[in-house]
Amino acid sequence: MSELFSGTGEGLARLGLEILGKGGSAVSAEISQRWFNASGRYIANYKKRHCQLKVLGMREPVDLAQVYTGVKFLQDDDILKFESIAALEESYRATRLRGYGGRRRDGEKQSGITVANDRQYLMVLGGPGAGKSTFLRKVGLESLKTLHYENAEYRHRCVPVLLELKRFEADTIDIAALIAREFETCDFPEPGKFTQSALQQGKLLILLDGLDEVPTANLDNVIRTIQDFVDRYDQNRFIASCRTAAYRGGFTRFSDVGMADFDDAQIQQFINNWFSNEQDRERETGKKCWEVLQADKNQAAKELAHTPLLLTFLCLVYDRSQRFPDNRSSLYQRALRILLEEWASEKRINRDEIYDGLSIELEEGLLSEIAFDGFEADQLFFDKRSLTRQIKEFLASNLNVPKTLDGEAVLRAVEVQQGILVERAENAYSFSHLTLQEYLTAQYLVDNNHWNEVITNHVTDNRWREVLLLVPGLLTGRQGANSFLEALEQRANECLQSEKIRRLVRWATESTTGSPSNFYPSGKRIAALYLYLDCGSARNRALDLAHKRARALYLYLVLDRDPELVFVFDRDLDRALVLAKRFSQLNIFTSTSFPKLINRLENLKSSIPGDNATQQHQQSFRESIFKLWLDVLGLSAEDIQLSSKEITALGDYFYICELMVRCKESAVRVSPDVWAGIESRILTVPAE
């Protein structure tokens, strides 16, 4: 362990004496010891005050150096500044990613510490919880290591001083005096003289944290005071931070840089850093957390992880139970409340007067209405004028809201203080995370009893999938999610209108009912139908989609409960033999003669086309394998010839059934009898 981190301050003491012109052997031992002691206290004080993270109700603080993950800055954060709403929508959909903004500009990012080394005056911009304050504190810590001649990332030999701008409340602000007070607290000899000498020689790294936290009434005064101070002591290095939405310029010397969202490598590193104690390393907790976050069902949760604050929240959740909750609604609700209320409280941000008449519950109602209207219109970006109008209409329709509230002021307060709505381009807004828009949309459906209409109109639209998965977790009344699941079942049954499809479903039921195996009946039926789709001869886009949806339902119904029932159909003879033998052992069909199929497949071995056989001959041989399968399954060539419309309907049926069983798992309250009835009817023809 280095001397710096054992509390000594030799490097800082030496620089302090140099600044005062007292370097060399002429300095008495008493003075050297006094500087040495004061410097050690300053380092310890910096680490204690600024390098211990304790947020979101954490029981114990976490050392910044332990969990810090290097941040990156966007080189050109204004690249989409003047884009239209239509262009933003097109750009988002072209990426096919869930997230908005900077993550798609991977080639335009720079290491944060590299930028801090290169720029003498730096303004760090980012959303709430993006890690701005943590970055400033980390640079200060690295500068202390530099003073001690350690292998530090920061190159400049300066004394770091961190000032929290939220404390700049007085009309008259003396920044030099505030800096001197930092040194005086640690018993620096001649703190005022030392401060003036250090400022004049350019030996300070002044970290100005949280411009957005300055009381609104004093903001202009603070900006002028800082600008004058920078002009007067321009040889020093300055790094300031501010929320992007709150920044209105005024720092003419400063280079403005925007913080990029965490990419996957940063997320993984943060998780590994978080779970880095000996016990977690032995259990590979970090690795397991990352793997769980990678699962398809957690992709919406992973979107939150691109923000350091919400990634911290996810790590705390995982640490509690070594998993993420099945009820994702509660997870996203907690994340929303962190942005709405808790984070602002912990940061002690001076909330605008706008919030005196706008409760958290009322604000959630407003945001959920905006989210739903956007989803209903297939719109993820909103122009400022329409947003302001919608806010005004919402406020006007609520009796207990003060009539003095202004729509544009509310929009700005939500954007600046919480970062839930973000200005992506000039006068163009979106939610900060698609996950939050989905959650708020689900909340609107529950609050307004509107989910039935969405099931009717949008249930097979994959865009609404995450919203519908969240609804059961919000239905906590006596009926719980029972009515929701029954509505999904009814909608699924509407896909079984074609007599050919109904005949096919009856085949799956009749051919598996009463079979010797102990697999779940619904698992047997989907295995039969999935095998049927695998037998399909003419592939097309509709059949491929139906096959994909059948596979999703098949894996969900079978894999966890009956993993031995997993299979892959193939017209290759050797693989067909393996599959036939497997089904012979599984006994999921009642009267199918797999031994007969195996014997006939074995007889085909003598007819395998040679390498010189024509493509037509090889195709004919594969079709002969396919016909044997149809024969043993009791299917005709006509049975597998569905129209494109019928194939689409069958695929929609599989999709809704799979969605239904997933919704059951995310629900808070489901009647066992209701679900037992629904499950017994999955993949059966409803009563006439």
Side-chain angles (χ1 to χ4, degrees):
M1 190 73 72
S2 70
E3 287 187 1
L4 169 65
F5 289 94
S6 62
T8 61
E10 180 182 349
L12 177 55
R14 189 181 297 117
L15 178 60
L17 290 167
E18 289 176 11
I19 289 171
L20 290 174
K22 297 180 179 181
S25 57
V27 179
S28 69
E30 181 183 352
I31 293 177
S32 294
Q33 187 62 47
R34 188 177 174 190
W35 270 98
F36 181 81
N37 293 340
S39 298
R41 280 190 292 271
Y42 188 81
I43 293 170
N45 193 45
Y46 185 92
K47 290 169 59 183
K48 182 179 178 180
R49 290 174 58 196
H50 306 310
C51 300
Q52 295 290 308
L53 305 180
K54 189 176 181 182
V55 298
L56 307 182
M58 291 164 56
R59 291 188 293 272
E60 298 291 337
V62 176
D63 184 20
L64 179 146
Q66 173 188 329
V67 300
Y68 182 78
T69 300
V71 302
K72 297 178 182 178
F73 293 142
L74 297 170
Q75 286 187 338
D76 185 3
D77 201 34
D78 293 327
I79 192 168
L80 298 178
K81 185 173 182 179
F82 301 107
E83 289 280 14
S84 66
I85 296 287
L88 287 170
E89 293 276 358
E90 182 180 354
S91 174
Y92 168 79
R93 285 171 169 76
T95 64
R96 298 188 179 182
L97 299 173
R98 287 185 52 84
Y100 302 106
R103 286 197 297 280
R104 66 186 183 84
R105 302 197 291 274
D106 291 335
E108 301 174 17
K109 297 177 184 177
Q110 285 186 308
S111 160
I113 198 73
T114 299
V115 175
N117 276 320
D118 292 344
R119 311 288 175 84
Q120 184 178 353
Y121 314 104
L122 190 64
M123 174 61 75
V124 177
L125 304 173
K132 303 179 296 297
S133 297
T134 305
F135 173 71
L136 264 63
R137 284 156 171 73
K138 173 64 172 175
V139 176
L141 189 60
E142 288 298 310
S143 70
L144 289 174
K145 292 168 66 177
T146 301
L147 291 178
H148 203 69
Y149 304 105
E150 292 205 352
N151 183 23
E153 296 180 72
Y154 194 66
R155 296 196 307 258
H156 303 280
R157 195 162 171 254
C158 302
V159 183
V161 182
L162 191 142
L163 301 176
E164 294 179 320
L165 297 183
K166 64 186 176 186
R167 304 184 189 281
F168 284 25
E169 298 178 328
D171 293 336
T172 303
I173 303 164
D174 188 338
I175 297 178
L178 293 172
I179 294 173
R181 192 178 303 163
E182 294 290 310
F183 297 124
E184 182 180 11
T185 301
C186 299
D187 291 330
F188 266 59
E190 304 176 274
K193 182 179 178 182
F194 171 74
T195 299
Q196 283 300 320
S197 296
L199 285 170
Q200 289 166 6
Q201 296 174 40
K203 295 298 184 181
L204 296 186
L205 167 62
I206 300 168
L207 306 166
L208 303 166
D209 187 31
L211 182 64
D212 53 280
E213 298 176 41
V214 173
T216 305
N218 206 29
L219 182 58
D220 289 341
N221 177 40
V222 168
I223 291 174
R224 281 195 305 271
T225 301
I226 292 175
Q227 188 65 56
D228 291 344
F229 185 82
V230 172
D231 290 341
R232 182 175 181 182
Y233 299 109
D234 60 1
Q235 294 184 63
N236 297 276
R237 303 187 71 82
F238 294 85
I239 305 178
S241 71
C242 184
R243 292 187 178 182
T244 306
Y247 188 57
R248 290 296 178 266
F251 288 67
T252 55
R253 291 177 180 259
F254 283 61
S255 299
D256 300 339
V257 290
M259 297 194 74
D261 291 342
F262 270 7
D263 56 30
D264 280 3
Q266 289 170 295
I267 294 171
Q268 190 172 10
Q269 182 187 343
F270 184 98
I271 291 172
N272 288 333
N273 291 346
W274 187 274
F275 297 108
S276 61
N277 64 42
E278 184 177 350
Q279 186 179 51
D280 283 327
R281 287 199 303 269
E282 289 177 358
R283 296 178 178 178
E284 296 186 316
T285 306
K287 178 182 177 183
K288 292 174 182 176
C289 177
W290 168 251
E291 289 173 349
V292 170
L293 199 60
Q294 291 293 97
D296 287 344
K297 68 177 182 178
N298 291 321
Q299 286 306 293
K302 184 184 173 185
E303 181 195 324
L304 300 177
H306 291 279
T307 301
L309 172 67
L310 296 181
L311 177 54
T312 300
F313 163 64
L314 292 175
C315 286
L316 289 169
V317 170
Y318 188 84
D319 196 25
R320 221 168 277 139
S321 58
Q322 304 298 295
R323 65 182 183 88
F324 295 114
D326 292 330
N327 182 4
R328 285 176 286 176
S329 298
S330 64
L331 184 72
Y332 304 152
Q333 182 182 49
R334 184 83 176 86
L336 180 66
R337 283 300 176 111
I338 286 170
L339 296 176
L340 282 173
E341 186 173 33
E342 185 169 331
W343 183 237
S345 174
E346 289 193 359
K347 294 280 284 183
R348 292 183 175 83
I349 293 175
N350 289 278
R351 290 165 64 87
D352 292 339
E353 293 180 4
I354 198 77
Y355 289 106
D356 290 343
L358 192 63
S359 67
I360 293 296
E361 291 73 21
L362 194 62
E363 189 178 354
E364 278 192 16
L366 167 63
L367 292 170
S368 67
E369 185 174 295
I370 293 170
F372 169 76
D373 287 351
F375 242 85
E376 183 74 2
D378 193 10
Q379 182 181 2
L380 300 176
F381 296 88
F382 316 92
D383 69 84
K384 184 177 183 178
R385 181 180 296 180
S386 63
L387 266 182
T388 303
R389 182 174 62 250
Q390 185 169 5
I391 292 171
K392 287 179 178 177
E393 291 173 355
F394 178 88
L395 297 175
S397 66
N398 284 271
L399 180 64
N400 295 325
V401 174
K403 301 306 178 186
T404 55
L405 282 182
D406 175 73
E408 190 166 335
V410 169
L411 173 59
R412 177 154 175 77
V414 171
E415 180 191 11
V416 173
Q417 299 283 12
Q418 301 153 343
I420 295 172
L421 288 170
V422 178
E423 189 174 23
R424 302 293 183 184
E426 189 172 27
N427 295 327
Y429 289 77
S430 78
F431 282 88
S432 57
H433 299 81
L434 178 57
T435 294
L436 295 182
Q437 184 176 2
E438 290 167 337
Y439 167 76
L440 287 162
T441 300
Q443 184 69 64
Y444 179 91
L445 299 183
V446 172
D447 290 345
N448 295 275
N449 198 29
H450 195 60
W451 47 262
N452 220 326
E453 288 85 345
V454 173
I455 289 176
T456 300
N457 299 322
H458 303 295
V459 70
T460 58
D461 184 347
N462 196 60
R463 191 172 61 85
W464 284 85
R465 178 181 176 85
E466 188 66 26
V467 173
L468 290 171
L469 284 169
L470 292 170
V471 169
L474 296 168
L475 291 167
T476 57
R478 181 178 295 274
Q479 263 303 94
N482 296 339
S483 298
F484 182 82
L485 294 173
E486 289 169 339
L488 282 175
E489 182 188 26
Q490 180 179 344
R491 182 67 180 83
N493 288 337
E494 291 173 6
C495 299
L496 303 179
Q497 299 297 317
S498 163
E499 180 54 37
K500 206 166 189 178
I501 295 178
R502 296 164 75 90
R503 191 164 64 242
L504 175 61
V505 174
R506 289 194 193 98
W507 165 81
T509 303
E510 293 166 0
S511 63
T512 59
T513 300
S515 62
S517 74
N518 294 321
F519 297 125
Y520 278 78
S522 57
K524 296 179 187 180
R525 294 193 288 270
I526 188 56
L529 287 167
Y530 185 43
L531 183 60
Y532 157 83
L533 284 173
D534 260 343
C535 290
S537 54
R539 310 298 296 186
N540 56 48
R541 289 185 65 183
L543 184 59
D544 287 342
L545 179 60
H547 186 269
K548 181 179 179 181
R549 289 178 165 181
R551 179 173 175 77
L553 177 60
Y554 161 66
L555 291 176
Y556 200 78
L557 286 177
V558 171
L559 191 58
D560 290 338
R561 300 186 299 191
D562 301 318
E564 293 183 356
L565 195 49
V566 176
F567 67 91
V568 177
F569 180 84
D570 200 296
R571 296 185 192 185
D572 176 85
L573 181 57
D574 289 336
R575 293 181 183 176
L577 272 166
V578 171
L579 184 60
K581 291 174 182 177
R582 188 74 185 125
F583 267 90
S584 181
Q585 296 169 346
L586 292 173
N587 286 320
I588 70 165
F589 290 97
T590 48
S591 58
T592 302
S593 178
F594 280 100
K596 178 181 176 182
L597 173 62
I598 293 169
N599 186 52
R600 293 172 69 179
L601 289 172
E602 290 280 6
N603 291 336
L604 281 178
K605 285 186 174 181
S606 61
S607 306
I608 296 176
D611 295 338
N612 296 327
T614 65
Q615 187 174 355
Q616 183 178 3
H617 187 193
Q618 292 176 352
Q619 177 65 25
S620 177
F621 181 77
R622 287 194 293 270
E623 291 301 316
S624 65
I625 298 174
F626 163 63
K627 289 174 182 176
L628 289 179
W629 273 101
L630 290 182
D631 184 47
V632 78
L633 292 173
L635 293 168
S636 67
E638 182 184 355
D639 290 326
I640 65 168
Q641 298 301 321
L642 299 180
S643 68
S644 293
K645 184 177 180 181
E646 289 169 328
I647 292 171
T648 299
L650 184 60
D652 288 347
Y653 177 76
F654 292 141
Y655 179 84
I656 299 171
C657 287
E658 187 255 345
L659 179 67
M660 183 167 60
V661 294
R662 289 186 183 273
C663 285
K664 184 269 296 185
E665 294 200 345
S666 65
V668 173
R669 189 173 181 180
V670 179
S671 162
D673 291 339
V674 168
W675 178 249
I678 291 174
E679 187 175 36
S680 71
R681 295 187 294 270
I682 290 177
L683 299 163
T684 64
V685 175
E688 299 291 350

